[in-house]
Amino acid sequence: MLDICLLGCGGMMPLPNRALTSLMVRYNGSTIMIDCGEATQLTIRRQGWSFKPIDVLLVTHFHADHISGLPGLLLTMGNAERTEPLTIVGPPGVEKVVNSLRVIAPELPFPIQFVELHEKEEIMNLVGLKITAFKVNHNIVCYGYSMELARSGKFDVEAAKGLGLPVQLWNPLQKGQTVTYEGKEYTSDMVMGADRKGLKVTYCTDTRPVPTIAEHAKDSDLFICEGMYGDAEDAKKAREKKHMTMYEAAELAREADVQELWLTHFSPSLIKPKMYLDKVQGIFPHTEMGKDRMTKVLNFEDEQDGSQ
């Protein structure tokens, strides 16, 4: 299960009723956060989620609306008596940028481990999830992220019985371990079915619509993408500022064959995003306009899911 909250859906500057774009994903007692703009802490408080279990922070890029809330967040995490390491992933220079921000948060009771991205695509395994960072096309170096939760196949009881394996060896085999019984080795593939469909969430903002986005969002259960502009006359502005229109995001979602699209990172001039929803759904029907603290629980396909 992945528990997802779009903390805010604003771009450039926070508004009274729209926080800056940030995302939290909870899994198995850990939290992954993407970006931390000004006043992100307020939204986390309103949602009622905790700061302490944030184990990974993924930074898309170093514009202030995506990272200026970090010093305060680090202080809050420290005041919660956290001692476990925090992993921060981001573009080249992430350690230098974060340490510069820490001039006003110099002493923390926990270490920070930095992962600096350099390639067009980099794959990491963090807190039990496969995380893929992929470079997009903004006016500074910027990355999108996909998070995947794999799901192994079903344990074949009859196959295990047919091999004569005692019950106490079944659990290690289910966990992918190799066991030895009566002088013979047994591997998990001998008693496990094919891998089943897992869960996938892709997050992408501050970019032009480039092919790599659809490639990495392919078959996502949830695709969260910027839709900064809704008016047709803003298409030129989107190109000049290296951003995306809602319609370009919807075309990416359609090409990637995702289950659902949430639009986010709205321009401050975009007062009522929902007025464009019908047009966007004409391109990709399973589109929702993001709103602060929008949540969704993703479960495996044979289980129920919920959103609000």
Side-chain angles (χ1 to χ4, degrees), residues 229 231-242 245:
Y229 302 106
D231 288 327
E233 55 265 29
D234 286 330
K236 180 180 178 182
K237 189 187 298 185
R239 290 191 295 271
E240 291 172 348
K241 295 182 179 295
K242 295 290 184 76
T245 68

Side-chain angles (χ1 to χ4, degrees), residues 13-187:
M13 59 180 286
L15 298 176
N17 298 308
R18 187 188 298 163
L20 291 172
T21 308
S22 180
L23 184 77
M24 291 183 82
V25 177
R26 300 193 299 191
Y27 169 66
N28 199 28
S30 294
T31 298
I32 295 175
M33 188 171 182
I34 303 183
D35 286 344
C36 184
E38 177 187 349
T40 294
Q41 289 189 79
L42 291 176
T43 319
I44 297 174
R45 284 291 187 196
R46 290 188 180 117
Q47 179 62 16
W49 286 17
S50 173
F51 302 93
K52 193 172 181 180
I54 299 173
D55 292 316
V56 179
L57 172 64
L58 307 174
V59 179
T60 57
H61 63 298
F62 301 137
H63 279 157
D65 58 335
H66 292 259
I67 199 172
S68 59
L70 184 56
L73 178 67
L74 293 175
L75 284 171
T76 298
M77 292 169 65
N79 289 335
E81 300 181 350
R82 178 200 179 92
T83 57
E84 298 81 9
L86 169 68
T87 299
I88 299 182
V89 180
V94 62
E95 184 171 2
K96 179 180 178 181
V97 170
V98 172
N99 286 337
S100 296
L101 292 170
R102 282 190 57 200
V103 169
I104 55 174
E107 296 184 11
L108 298 172
F110 56 88
I112 299 178
Q113 300 169 344
F114 292 96
V115 177
E116 191 167 283
L117 303 171
H118 293 279
E119 305 301 325
K120 291 182 178 180
E121 176 188 276
E122 297 196 32
I123 299 174
M124 302 153 277
N125 289 292
L126 299 169
V127 300
L129 298 177
K130 175 186 173 183
I131 299 175
T132 303
F134 54 96
K135 190 177 288 188
V136 294
N137 180 22
H138 194 34
N139 50 26
I140 64 171
V141 178
C142 184
Y143 281 84
Y145 293 96
S146 284
M147 291 167 277
E148 296 179 73
L149 176 59
R151 191 184 192 193
S152 60
K154 289 184 178 181
F155 181 75
D156 189 336
V157 174
E158 294 306 317
K161 288 180 177 179
L163 293 169
L165 294 171
V167 174
Q168 58 265 32
L169 296 180
W170 292 6
N171 187 257
L173 287 167
Q174 284 179 295
K175 293 179 178 178
Q177 299 174 19
T178 297
V179 300
T180 301
Y181 179 63
E182 295 184 343
K184 185 178 179 179
E185 282 193 349
Y186 295 88
T187 55

